[in-house]
Amino acid sequence: MALSSTGYVVLGMLALGPRSGYDIKQLADVSTRHFWAISYGQIYPELSRLAKAGLVKAEDASRGTRHRTIYHLTDPGRRLLKAWVANPELEKIEIRDEMLLKLFFADAMSRKDTVRHLDAMRRRHEEIAAGLRETEPMAASQPHRMKYEVLKFGVALHEWCADWYSKLGRDLQSEWRAGNDV
Amino acid sequence: MALSSTGYVVLGMLALGPRSGYDIKQLADVSTRHFWAISYGQIYPELSRLAKAGLVKAEDASRGTRHRTIYHLTDPGRRLLKAWVANPELEKIEIRDEMLLKLFFADAMSRKDTVRHLDAMRRRHEEIAAGLRETEPMAASQPHRMKYEVLKFGVALHEWCADWYSKLGRDLQSEWRAGNDV
DNA sequence: TCCTTCATGTAACTAGTTACATGATTAT
DNA sequence: ATAATCATGTAACTAGTTACATGAAGGA
């Protein structure tokens, strides 16, 4: 019974307590999103699969005519999640960065445009870091240490990226001002 | 005529000179792979599409019975590539990191396993950085400055990640040795 | 009243991977 | 010989996004 990583995300969110598909999405959007985004189009079908496999259990939580289903982990679900987390296999890491792609192909670009592009990249990472920092109070106040550490990693990572692009832009400019035609 | 980013990668590789689909894959594997991986299953169909759109032109370069097709950029192809590169739109950036996902859900993990997991993450990033560093002489000797800068970014990024995980592991251990039951 | 949030779900689509099939050439 | 590399391509599959449809509840 091999689950997709997204399946484990759903399981993991339910390990924090019973919630609806909607809740899972909201929670993922302020926590795992910066390194593992998920959408409704994955969540709802995944919940059905997990329920069919007996890893989660659905429970009706409708309020009046407004229907709502909350899911909770079953024992097998909790065991499977734990086994996955503890398995030290080298899992995949993947980055897709279109702006970096443009920078890679930017050799024919004008100096002005290159600097502008680097500035946009800096700004982009600063914005991501700022967005993450907003969730910091929430992450700091809950008892899950690793979740907080992962958030701090995200903030630090994007700040580091912003600094790197900022520095490259400055270096290139001073180099160009010095008249070195590289 | 909007191309996928992968389409632009193909175009960009051909901007360096005419090459085959096979060549494009080899080149991408030692250059863009760390932030934009591509596979044969994308390259060959993409080349057909680009040729049909008149952005590249196929040329038979078979040697005897062994067939080989090299592609080169057409003027419209070169123009489109240039326009894409120069367009400062905020393009998407995406990370998918399964190990970070496990760390995020690692709160129930034993201390020993947490430390081991962090060590595996550190090693993973060191290996990626080392793999990238191997291509450094090649990147340094060619005249495309930005390609070299992007490579240096990749090396520095993964080294930074390795250091971060390394530091977190050390911090947690000393914290635990100090007897703080967090 | 109207906008936002809550809430669930599907269908069509886009993107990308993996496995397979084929076969020549070159290095060991 | 035989293994590695060169070389092209497709089919089946997996993963994920986006748009759409529906509608209730709650706040401005």
Side-chain angles (χ1 to χ4, degrees), chain A residues 57-88:
Chain A
K57 195 149 178 352
E59 198 176 321
D60 185 69
S62 301
R63 293 189 281 248
T65 58
R66 182 165 174 178
H67 70 127
R68 179 164 191 263
T69 310
I70 61 168
Y71 293 84
H72 56 88
L73 275 190
T74 61
D75 284 342
R78 200 171 296 272
R79 270 200 302 276
L80 188 67
L81 175 66
K82 221 173 166 175
W84 171 76
V85 168
N87 180 350

Side-chain angles (χ1 to χ4, degrees), chain B residues 60-105:
Chain B
D60 185 69
S62 300
R63 294 189 281 246
T65 58
R66 182 167 175 175
H67 71 127
R68 180 164 190 262
T69 309
I70 61 169
Y71 294 83
H72 56 89
L73 275 190
T74 62
D75 284 342
R78 202 171 295 273
R79 270 199 302 277
L80 188 66
L81 175 66
K82 220 171 167 177
W84 172 76
V85 169
N87 180 350
E89 231 177 285
L90 280 186
E91 310 284 3
K92 77 152 175 274
I93 169 168
E94 235 194 271
I95 299 175
R96 294 216 166 239
D97 188 335
E98 283 189 60
M99 297 196 81
L100 201 49
L101 207 49
K102 284 190 180 186
L103 187 65
F104 183 81
F105 290 117

Side-chain angles (χ1 to χ4, degrees), chain A residues 108-179:
Chain A
M109 225 198 251
S110 75
R111 288 168 172 194
K112 210 184 65 192
D113 285 347
T114 302
V115 168
R116 193 193 292 140
H117 187 78
L118 284 169
D119 198 57
M121 294 183 85
R122 192 217 76 226
R123 211 171 341 106
R124 146 69 56 97
H125 284 285
E126 270 171 9
E127 278 163 15
I128 296 173
L132 291 174
R133 239 183 279 107
E134 274 175 41
T135 69
E136 232 182 302
M138 195 183 74
S141 65
Q142 46 88 49
H144 305 280
R145 171 69 179 272
M146 290 308 150
K147 293 178 180 53
Y148 185 37
E149 295 297 340
V150 168
L151 174 67
K152 286 194 285 183
F153 171 78
V155 171
L157 175 75
H158 287 286
E159 279 173 352
W160 182 89
C161 289
D163 286 349
W164 202 91
Y165 292 124
S166 171
K167 183 175 185 314
L168 178 59
R170 270 184 285 114
D171 287 355
L172 287 176
Q173 276 183 87
S174 68
E175 200 181 295
W176 289 335
R177 263 196 299 268

Side-chain angles (χ1 to χ4, degrees), chain A residues 90-121:
Chain A
L90 280 185
E91 309 284 4
K92 75 154 178 271
I93 169 166
E94 235 194 86
I95 299 173
R96 294 217 166 239
D97 188 335
E98 284 189 60
M99 298 195 80
L100 202 49
L101 207 48
K102 284 190 181 185
L103 187 65
F104 183 81
F105 290 117
D107 291 298
M109 225 198 251
S110 75
R111 288 168 172 194
K112 210 184 65 192
D113 285 347
T114 302
V115 168
R116 193 193 292 140
H117 187 78
L118 284 169
D119 198 57
M121 294 183 85

Side-chain angles (χ1 to χ4, degrees), chain B residues 18-167:
Chain B
R19 15 172 79 62
S20 66
Y22 185 85
D23 294 337
I24 291 172
K25 167 70 169 154
Q26 304 314 303
L27 189 49
D29 277 353
V30 293
S31 58
T32 61
R33 181 155 136 266
H34 64 106
F35 58 95
W36 203 281
I38 55 175
S39 65
Y40 289 123
Q42 294 172 275
I43 295 169
Y44 288 111
E46 189 65 47
L47 281 169
S48 307
R49 274 192 296 273
L50 294 173
K52 200 178 284 179
L55 299 166
V56 304
K57 194 147 176 357
E59 198 176 322
D60 185 69
S62 300
R63 294 189 281 246
T65 58
R66 182 167 175 175
H67 71 127
R68 180 164 190 262
T69 309
I70 61 169
Y71 294 83
H72 56 89
L73 275 190
T74 62
D75 284 342
R78 202 171 295 273
R79 270 199 302 277
L80 188 66
L81 175 66
K82 220 171 167 177
W84 172 76
V85 169
N87 180 350
E89 231 177 285
L90 280 186
E91 310 284 3
K92 77 152 175 274
I93 169 168
E94 235 194 271
I95 299 175
R96 294 216 166 239
D97 188 335
E98 283 189 60
M99 297 196 81
L100 201 49
L101 207 49
K102 284 190 180 186
L103 187 65
F104 183 81
F105 290 117
D107 291 298
M109 224 197 251
S110 74
R111 289 169 170 190
K112 210 184 66 191
D113 286 347
T114 302
V115 168
R116 192 193 292 141
H117 187 78
L118 283 169
D119 197 57
M121 294 182 85
R122 192 217 76 227
R123 212 170 340 108
R124 146 70 56 98
H125 284 284
E126 271 172 8
E127 279 163 13
I128 296 174
L132 291 174
R133 240 183 279 109
E134 275 175 41
T135 70
E136 232 182 302
M138 194 183 74
S141 65
Q142 47 87 49
H144 305 281
R145 171 69 180 272
M146 288 310 151
K147 293 179 180 55
Y148 186 37
E149 296 297 340
V150 168
L151 174 67
K152 286 194 284 183
F153 171 77
V155 171
L157 174 75
H158 288 286
E159 279 173 354
W160 182 89
C161 288
D163 286 350
W164 202 90
Y165 292 124
S166 170
K167 182 173 186 315

